[in-house]
Amino acid sequence: MHEDANGDGRRVDSEAPENSVDQEFPALERELTVFLRRARANSGEMAREVHPDLESSAYGLLFRLEECGRQRATELAAYIGVGKATMSRQLRALEELGLVAREPDPADGRAWLVHLTEGGRDRFRRVREARRARYVRELAGWDPHEVAELARLLHQLNQGMEK
């Protein structure tokens, strides 16, 4: 074994291929752990900017409703990856804050469609634009093709995790 040539102090087996699973997957796990921790903190900040009482997990629901429009709670639950009870609780809280509303589904009178209220949409868009401006500042030194490649790879990762 010898110290890795990049000088980061990691010990590697000199016989192992440079891109071995033993090296790459621990590095991926480490970077995803840091990224997810920071993303959760960032989502909490963004949620509080939309409304001081908004749970950080609900920010993603607002994003999805802004992106896709009216949806059934079951569709939202499937997309986010939570159960119906959790989704009902989160949607009830969003309704109480005046950020979303429900209306009967014209295709099925027993079901409801959830949508952003005008105030919810305005608040969400203001915060989303601030978040995008932050990304632009933080990634200003990146080549635009690298940003596009990162988005593509994250999309691929997310699609793979849906299965």
Side-chain angles (χ1 to χ4, degrees), residues 34-118:
V34 172
F35 177 77
L36 292 171
R37 184 177 300 133
R38 289 179 179 161
R40 275 192 293 273
N42 192 26
S43 284
E45 291 171 17
M46 295 295 156
R48 285 186 295 281
E49 287 183 35
V50 172
H51 192 284
D53 297 328
L54 185 63
E55 291 182 25
S56 62
S57 60
Y59 185 84
L61 292 174
L62 299 178
F63 192 94
R64 183 67 176 181
L65 288 169
E66 168 67 9
E67 182 177 60
C68 296
R70 291 169 163 74
Q71 291 193 8
R72 289 183 179 187
T74 53
E75 293 172 313
L76 289 168
Y79 176 77
I80 301 291
V82 299
K84 290 192 307 186
T86 299
M87 183 55 56
S88 291
R89 182 185 58 77
Q90 289 182 341
L91 290 174
R92 203 169 28 256
L94 290 170
E95 276 186 291
E96 290 171 5
L97 296 174
L99 300 173
V100 302
R102 298 179 202 222
E103 65 185 39
D105 183 344
D108 180 353
R110 300 165 298 166
W112 294 85
L113 294 175
V114 180
H115 63 91
L116 291 172
T117 62
E118 187 176 325

Side-chain angles (χ1 to χ4, degrees), residues 102-157:
R102 298 179 202 222
E103 65 185 39
D105 183 344
D108 180 353
R110 300 165 298 166
W112 294 85
L113 294 175
V114 180
H115 63 91
L116 291 172
T117 62
E118 187 176 325
R121 180 172 284 104
D122 291 344
R123 286 173 172 239
F124 174 78
R125 285 180 177 170
R126 180 179 42 81
V127 172
R128 183 191 59 202
E129 291 306 316
R131 181 181 232 182
R132 285 186 182 166
R134 182 176 171 183
Y135 289 152
V136 168
R137 283 191 312 275
E138 290 175 353
L139 300 176
W142 286 42
D143 180 285
H145 294 97
E146 291 175 322
V147 176
E149 180 66 2
L150 176 60
R152 186 190 70 75
L153 290 170
L154 287 171
H155 178 75
Q156 184 177 333
L157 176 65

